[in-house]
Structure formats: structure tokens, C-alpha cells
Amino acid sequence: MKIPIQVKKVTDFIFDKWSKDIGSVLIWTTIAGWVASSSAQILGILRNSKYTKEQKNFMIHQEIGDAAINIGSFFIITTPLKKMASKLVKTGKVTTFAIKRPIRKHGDIKKLGLIDFDIKKLPYFSSELEKQFNSFNNFMGTSAAVLGGILSSNILTPILRNRYASDCQAKKKELFSHNKYSYKQISVNSVELNNISKPKQKKSPFETFKGKSLTV
């Protein structure tokens, strides 16, 4: 089966862009997974007829809040870590012997680790360093993304979610403690009740002679 040209162009573009940066692939696929999972949860809530409209609104907002915390904490931690790892590799602050060898051969070994140094800008990069550099940079970026995911999911996310959950718990308890059907209470002014005249009751024949003596 022949692959359409349009599809091949898209796949080639994705491969060319992401094959050298697996760390970014991990970050964005994780975020996409959370978005898909939250969307499925929201759809399930909307289609569930057991919940009232107020309960659905609350649960949907809570699901969106949880997703925002998960995605936000993951992105906030992993992105800086990945950028820091990329900076260390690019300047040569963290490198390998396979990368050092050509740099030492060309007399640029003293430049390694300088803040404004960029290995990718060396004139012999494409011919002698590109393969080794991309491999190590890919490894460092992936490691940073995994480390960021571990830190966010085990430290930052639980703290933020616990605080958010405590804020929602009281409202949730109040909302779900009511019956499925709500009834409107009609308030009546007590003054009006007092002004309503009670119907007169007829006296019993026995009450007419109450307290009186009968003479024969």
C-alpha cells in the first residue's frame, strides 16, 4: 500500500523534529495524555443521568482544576530542567570523551564550560561532532524530562492537589448531601398567620350546662 505524499511529509517532519529530542516528545505526549484523560472524565460526567445539573457543574470544574494542576506542575518543573540540561550539554559543561576528543584535537578544549560557548557553532561540528552531540543531548534531555516527571508527580502535584481538594471538600459535601430532587421552601410571614381568623367552633351541648346545677 502506497503512503500518500501528504502523510509522508507530515511523518517526515515529525521524525526530523522530534527524533533528536525525545525529552520534548515525552513532555508533550504526557500533557496530551492528561488532556485526553480529563476530557474523557468530563464526557462521562456529562452523560451520567444520576447527577443533578449543580453536581455536574461542580464535578466538571473540579476535574478541570485537577488537570490544570497536573499539567501545570509537570510543565513548570520539566521544562526548566530540560533547558538546563540542554545548556550544560551545549556549553560542554557536561559532556563525554567522544565529544571532547575532536574539540581537544582542534585546540578548543579550554572553551568547554564557558557560558557563551556553543558546541554546535564549531566549524567542524557537522563533520566530527554532530552524531555524538545529538546522541548525548538526547539522553540528557530525556533524563531531565523523566526526572521532572518524578519530582512533579511525587512532590509538587500532591501538595497542590491536597490544598485544592481541601477547598472543594466542604462544598462537595454540602452539594451531595442533598436529595436528588430539591424543593423550594415557601416562607410565610408570621404576622399574617396571626391575622388569619380561626373558624368558630360550635359549642357542645354539654358545655352549655358546664358549671351549672340542674334542678328537678
Side-chain angles (χ1 to χ4, degrees), residues 30 71 83 95 109 133 150 170 175 200:
T30 301
I71 295 172
K83 286 183 177 180
T95 189
I109 193 66
F133 178 86
I150 294 172
L175 183 63
K200 293 183 179 181

Side-chain angles (χ1 to χ4, degrees), residues 38-188:
S38 298
S39 300
Q41 291 284 353
I42 292 172
L43 181 61
I45 293 170
L46 288 172
R47 297 182 63 181
N48 195 326
S49 59
K50 294 182 180 180
Y51 300 126
T52 63
K53 183 179 179 181
E54 291 77 12
Q55 290 172 343
K56 287 183 178 181
N57 288 335
F58 172 80
M59 294 174 70
I60 288 173
H61 281 88
Q62 187 178 32
E63 186 64 37
I64 293 174
D66 286 340
I69 290 173
N70 289 330
I71 295 172
S73 60
F74 176 77
F75 191 78
I76 287 172
I77 290 182
T78 54
T79 302
L81 282 176
K82 187 176 176 301
K83 286 183 177 180
M84 182 177 67
S86 178
K87 181 71 174 178
L88 292 174
V89 175
K90 183 179 70 172
T91 59
K93 190 74 174 179
V94 177
T95 189
T96 64
F97 289 108
I99 296 174
K100 279 184 177 180
R101 193 177 298 111
I103 295 176
R104 182 180 289 107
K105 183 179 68 174
H106 289 276
D108 296 322
I109 193 66
K110 292 183 179 179
K111 297 178 181 179
L112 286 178
L114 298 178
I115 194 169
D116 57 344
F117 182 61
D118 188 352
I119 293 177
K120 296 175 70 175
K121 292 182 179 180
L122 292 172
Y124 48 90
F125 173 78
S126 58
S127 59
E128 301 183 44
L129 286 170
E130 186 173 8
K131 184 178 180 180
Q132 299 92 322
F133 178 86
N134 288 339
S135 178
F136 184 64
N137 188 47
N138 202 353
F139 167 77
M140 290 295 292
T142 304
S143 301
V146 172
L147 178 62
I150 294 172
L151 293 176
S152 64
S153 60
N154 290 282
I155 298 177
L156 183 59
T157 300
I159 294 174
L160 296 177
R161 289 189 65 179
N162 287 340
R163 177 171 294 184
Y164 178 70
S166 64
D167 294 338
C168 295
Q169 190 64 30
K171 185 176 179 182
K172 181 178 180 180
K173 185 177 180 181
E174 179 183 357
L175 183 63
F176 283 81
S177 63
H178 297 311
N179 293 331
K180 184 176 180 181
Y181 301 100
S182 60
Y183 300 91
K184 293 184 178 179
Q185 296 180 350
I186 302 175
S187 60
V188 181

Side-chain angles (χ1 to χ4, degrees), residues 4-5 10 28 120 166:
I5 298 177
V10 172
W28 290 110
K120 296 175 70 175
S166 64

